[in-house]
Amino acid sequence: EGRPKGQFAMAAGEKLPQALRDALPLLRDRPPDPYADDGYLDLLGELPVPATNVAQRLWLTGIGSSFYDHGQAIARAALARVSPSLDRLAPVGGTALDVGCGPGNVTAMLGRVVGPTGLVLGVDVSPPMLRRAVTSAAAHVGFLRADALDLPLVDGSVDAVTCFAVLQLIPDPFRVLDEIVRVLRPSGRAMVMVPTVRFGPLVGRIGDLLGAPGGVRLFGQDEVEIACYDHGLTDVEVTGFGPVQWLTARKR
């Protein structure tokens, strides 16, 4: 107790987890004294995290992380047979990033795709979420506390990026797409999952109004696909199931 930020909270001789050590060369601004007191590398420290709506504020709490876990369990059971496979998203031995990783469910799946010779990093702003994520992480899977709007990795540093059920929570969602494209290597692949609605030409505005009370945006049926092309992705493949849409694309 009382250990200042910027130092390890580990016994003498213990090391930063292997995945986080492997991540250090990929960081744009490598911290001079990285610490992993709770098992993840905190790159935000005491900086305030923007939480402009109810959904974002809930995400930062323990209650929110617990709610997410229950919701994910239901979603996985209902959607397991229709969601696209991650198997070919990243190569064995490659590097993958999970943006808005929450408690690390998708991050762990990516870890199995790249195998123990690869590296997978999960990024989230929520300490409660990250504390859940690190409890069952494999040795080659690490977690960073960072902002999806300003990803901490250098340009062209990863082979694949996932971003599931995140864009709808962010006031400037397509800025996240810019960051995803920036960190992808040439021909790297991204997979995004978003909630959508089908209300015709005014769908974007209607979706915004429906989501406004809680701060959750509902995207138009073609809105994210068009944005992917506009923000530097190509070969966009769309899979829809009810109000959920997955998009897989490649960096130009």
Side-chain angles (χ1 to χ4, degrees):
E1 184 174 348
R3 182 182 293 272
K5 294 293 187 183
Q7 296 184 17
F8 294 115
M10 299 182 181
E14 289 188 349
K15 298 178 180 180
L16 196 66
Q18 182 62 52
L20 295 182
R21 281 186 283 151
D22 292 342
L24 291 177
L26 304 181
L27 299 181
R28 285 193 294 174
D29 298 304
R30 179 172 173 168
D33 295 306
Y35 70 95
D37 301 53
D38 292 309
Y40 59 87
L41 186 60
D42 192 338
L43 300 176
L44 296 177
E46 301 302 323
L47 292 175
V49 177
T52 57
N53 56 53
V54 173
Q56 287 180 314
R57 289 193 291 271
L58 183 64
W59 191 260
L60 296 172
T61 68
I63 294 174
S65 66
S66 178
F67 176 80
Y68 180 92
D69 274 355
H70 291 299
Q72 277 290 301
I74 296 170
R76 283 196 300 271
L79 303 177
R81 296 184 179 181
V82 296
S83 61
S85 172
L86 295 175
D87 289 346
R88 291 181 289 177
L89 193 68
V92 174
T95 301
L97 177 69
D98 185 18
V99 177
C101 65
N105 300 319
V106 174
T107 325
M109 294 169 63
L110 285 172
R112 292 190 286 272
V113 170
V114 303
T117 59
L119 173 65
V120 178
L121 299 173
V123 169
D124 208 288
V125 298
S126 169
M129 292 287 187
L130 292 169
R131 284 194 291 269
R132 285 174 175 265
V134 300
T135 57
S136 59
H140 63 294
V141 177
F143 293 90
L144 311 173
R145 183 169 178 254
D147 191 345
L149 291 168
D150 186 22
L151 293 175
L153 305 184
V154 298
D155 297 1
S157 55
V158 302
D159 299 294
V161 179
T162 54
C163 184
F164 286 8
V166 174
L167 295 185
Q168 76 275 10
L169 301 174
I170 298 176
D172 190 1
F174 298 138
R175 186 174 147 198
V176 178
L177 279 184
D178 284 332
E179 283 292 281
I180 288 172
V181 172
R182 179 183 65 77
V183 302
L184 275 173
R185 292 173 179 148
S187 296
R189 298 184 66 79
M191 185 182 289
V192 176
M193 186 267 276
V194 294
T196 60
V197 287
R198 305 168 184 258
F199 291 142
L202 297 179
V203 65
R205 179 64 61 187
I206 294 172
D208 287 344
L209 292 174
L210 289 174
V216 178
R217 176 169 177 165
L218 302 176
F219 294 96
Q221 196 64 20
D222 302 320
E223 187 178 1
V224 180
E225 180 182 4
I226 293 170
C228 285
Y229 283 109
D230 290 344
H231 290 259
L233 295 168
T234 189
D235 297 337
V236 181
E237 298 179 5
V238 182
T239 303
F241 180 74
V244 177
Q245 186 179 83
W246 287 268
L247 302 98
T248 305
R250 178 177 58 83
K251 181 174 177 176
R252 294 192 185 114

